[in-house]
Amino acid sequence: MQLSVSRMPARWRQGLLLALCVALTGCGLGGEEKYPDNRKPGDPSPTYGPPPSVFGEGGLTLGGTQKPTDEAGATGIGVNSFLWRASLDTVSFMPLVSADPFGGVIITDWYSPPQSPSERFKVNIYILGRALRADGVRASVFRQQQDTTAGWIDAPVASNTATDLENAILTRARQMRIAQLGQ
């Protein structure tokens, strides 16, 4: 059986022609589009550049051989591994809610110390880069106290608590790095 366009009903031919036109229009046969860049103050006409990519510089690679790398050419997790492991080690006594090694975020659940069950603490740790530096880690500490009528209410945290936690993480990260270099 041979299919002939001339034997198709008129509505089908019109639908096929419309689909073909839409498909060809999507191919961008009209040339490359350019988008206006931001105008500078006093500039009467916009400058045009290449259209921005949704997937960032270099586009999207599916099944390619290119692997994501950082400035130093390393692949793997997006943060310093010593800071990451030291952070997990430092807050290992607290239950974890979330640990994202690519984004460098560790969020603990509320923890009540056995010696003071009427207060609880929560910690958020942010690893800010791949370098083992003092400014590469930030900690936020939250504290609540139990009230007999209102349940748990927010309470102030000592101003040096977050800094002390950051210093403990940095000390542990240095110890891990020295231990690895000694091997």
Side-chain angles (χ1 to χ4, degrees):
M1 180 172 160
Q2 208 173 22
L3 182 63
S4 173
V5 176
S6 62
R7 289 188 180 174
M8 290 179 137
R11 288 192 184 260
W12 285 29
R13 281 192 304 246
Q14 290 171 350
L16 182 63
L17 182 62
L18 180 64
L20 184 62
C21 288
V22 168
L24 288 176
T25 303
C27 291
L29 295 175
E32 186 177 336
E33 290 190 37
K34 304 242 183 218
Y35 294 94
D37 291 336
N38 291 335
R39 290 185 185 181
K40 294 183 174 73
D43 187 7
S45 61
T47 58
Y48 290 89
S53 173
V54 175
F55 302 107
E57 190 174 317
L60 177 67
T61 303
L62 297 175
T65 58
Q66 184 181 14
K67 294 182 181 177
T69 60
D70 67 356
E71 302 84 32
T75 59
I77 65 173
V79 296
N80 183 279
S81 62
F82 296 114
L83 288 174
W84 178 254
R85 291 189 321 229
S87 298
L88 288 174
D89 193 37
T90 304
V91 296
S92 62
F93 64 94
M94 300 178 82
L96 291 179
V97 171
S98 175
D100 177 14
F102 298 101
V105 178
I106 298 171
I107 301 173
T108 69
D109 202 359
W110 289 103
Y111 169 76
S112 293
Q115 62 271 21
S116 58
S118 63
E119 69 177 347
R120 64 185 187 173
F121 297 91
K122 179 181 174 76
V123 174
N124 295 348
I125 299 173
Y126 307 97
I127 313 296
L128 304 175
R130 293 196 49 89
L132 179 55
R133 299 171 32 134
D135 61 351
V137 63
R138 287 286 173 260
S140 301
V141 181
F142 306 94
R143 179 175 167 248
Q144 289 184 338
Q145 289 183 319
Q146 192 171 25
D147 186 25
T148 55
T149 58
W152 293 99
I153 56 171
D154 291 338
V157 179
S159 60
N160 63 336
T161 304
T163 305
D164 290 345
L165 179 61
E166 291 169 5
N167 289 337
I169 292 169
L170 288 166
T171 300
R172 182 68 182 126
R174 278 188 225 105
Q175 291 170 349
M176 290 177 164
R177 185 165 193 275
I178 290 170
Q180 185 182 29
L181 291 175
Q183 290 181 356

